Amino acid sequence: MAKKNKVKKNLVEQILTKAKIEHVGLQINALEGILPEGIDRSTIFKTLALKGDKTGPVIGIIPITEHLSEKKLAKLSGNKKVAMIPQKDLEKTTGYIHGANNPVGIRQKHPFPIFFDESALQLETMIVSAGEIGHSIQIKPQLLADFVKATFADIIEGDKIVKLYFIRHGRTEWNEEGRFQGSNGDSPLLPASIHQLEKLGKHLASVPFDAAFASDLPRTVHTAQIILDQLETPLELQATPALREW
């Protein structure tokens, strides 16, 4: 996390501190100006307040580099359509002026449904407003979502980007001996390879994988399963001969 300037905590930070939620207070205006060293713009999220035609106010939290999909948010929130709340009505709706809306403060005052774009789950920390212009907080996405009772979903415009991870099977005894394995031969993984795969699995533990595939060869199944056993969210391996070497 970025270093925090020593300033008096505002209300949002006080709420988080009282709840023993780990966070870092930052004095930055995320929407304007030059960002401090070490802060990536893609980790900064904006809090948008909308009104649904059936449910009333709905909160969408997305990266400042992206655009909200009102159609996706409407469907998720049980509405036919949603629209941005006019700036003149923001403060009386959420309690905050434009640029200061934040999930912590809004949740303290209102039961509005809150949706985080699922891209936040790919980040170690995210940055959101702390309820005052020029003040933000840096916090782990899941911690914040749990605290404000938010749901993760795809709510930005455009098609969902599929991210693929390709991992070669661990080194085997036959690899060590220089013997060809191909699609028919096979041999056990070396102990050193198993150790490396366990470390890799721990490194990938928090990645929200949707699926895992491997060929049905023992060395590839064993490789994949070692990694999957380290994940925070259980995932079943799908092994298929279609992925064998040919």
Side-chain angles (χ1 to χ4, degrees):
M1 291 187 176
K3 292 183 179 180
K4 184 179 80 169
N5 293 325
K6 293 184 178 181
V7 295
K8 184 178 180 180
K9 294 181 179 180
N10 66 8
L11 181 59
V12 166
E13 288 192 78
Q14 291 175 25
I15 291 171
L16 292 173
T17 299
K18 184 176 181 180
K20 297 182 180 179
I21 304 296
E22 182 182 359
H23 68 283
V24 173
L26 303 173
Q27 278 193 300
I28 61 172
N29 187 337
L31 299 179
E32 297 179 6
I34 299 175
L35 297 177
E37 184 178 352
I39 299 295
D40 189 329
R41 186 169 293 278
S42 65
T43 67
I44 303 172
F45 284 63
K46 53 189 174 184
T47 302
L48 305 175
L50 301 92
K51 187 173 183 180
D53 60 344
K54 292 184 177 181
T55 66
V58 181
I59 307 301
I61 299 174
I62 66 172
I64 63 171
T65 55
E66 302 293 342
H67 296 286
L68 177 73
S69 170
E70 294 184 358
K71 183 177 180 180
K72 291 178 181 178
L73 186 59
K75 184 177 181 180
L76 285 165
S77 60
N79 291 286
K80 285 188 176 180
K81 61 180 180 179
V82 295
M84 296 291 294
I85 295 174
Q87 288 190 27
K88 64 182 181 64
D89 298 328
L90 264 182
E91 190 168 9
K92 66 181 180 182
T93 302
T94 66
Y96 294 91
I97 61 172
H98 176 65
N101 274 314
N102 68 95
V104 175
I106 291 175
R107 174 54 73 228
Q108 294 295 306
K109 301 177 181 179
H110 307 286
F112 304 153
I114 299 176
F115 295 89
F116 284 19
D117 184 65
E118 62 187 9
S119 61
L121 288 170
Q122 303 287 344
L123 304 173
E124 181 179 350
T125 60
M126 65 188 295
I127 296 172
V128 296
S129 170
E132 298 176 15
I133 302 295
H135 291 262
S136 300
I137 55 168
Q138 189 176 41
I139 188 170
K140 292 182 178 179
Q142 192 66 62
L143 273 180
L144 180 59
D146 290 344
F147 185 66
V148 301
K149 299 180 174 64
T151 301
F152 288 102
D154 175 20
I155 58 172
I156 59 176
E157 288 185 351
D159 296 328
K160 180 179 179 180
I161 297 176
V162 177
K163 189 172 186 180
L164 301 176
Y165 290 74
F166 291 92
I167 300 171
R168 188 183 185 279
H169 67 74
R171 190 171 180 80
T172 68
E173 293 179 0
W174 282 18
N175 288 144
E176 192 79 355
E177 297 169 7
R179 297 173 62 183
F180 177 74
Q181 295 177 118
S183 61
N184 296 315
D186 204 79
S187 65
L189 298 179
L190 296 170
S193 291
I194 293 175
H195 178 63
Q196 290 175 340
L197 291 167
E198 288 174 343
K199 289 177 64 177
L200 177 59
K202 291 176 181 178
H203 179 71
L204 299 173
S206 62
V207 176
F209 291 108
D210 293 315
F213 301 90
S215 81
D216 61 344
L217 293 171
R219 64 180 180 273
T220 57
V221 170
H222 191 190
T223 293
Q225 198 57 59
I226 290 171
I227 295 171
L228 295 180
D229 286 344
Q230 310 300 319
L231 301 185
E232 295 175 358
T233 303
L235 188 64
E236 183 177 353
L237 176 66
Q238 300 179 57
T240 170
L243 293 176
R244 283 191 179 195
E245 299 177 29
W246 298 102

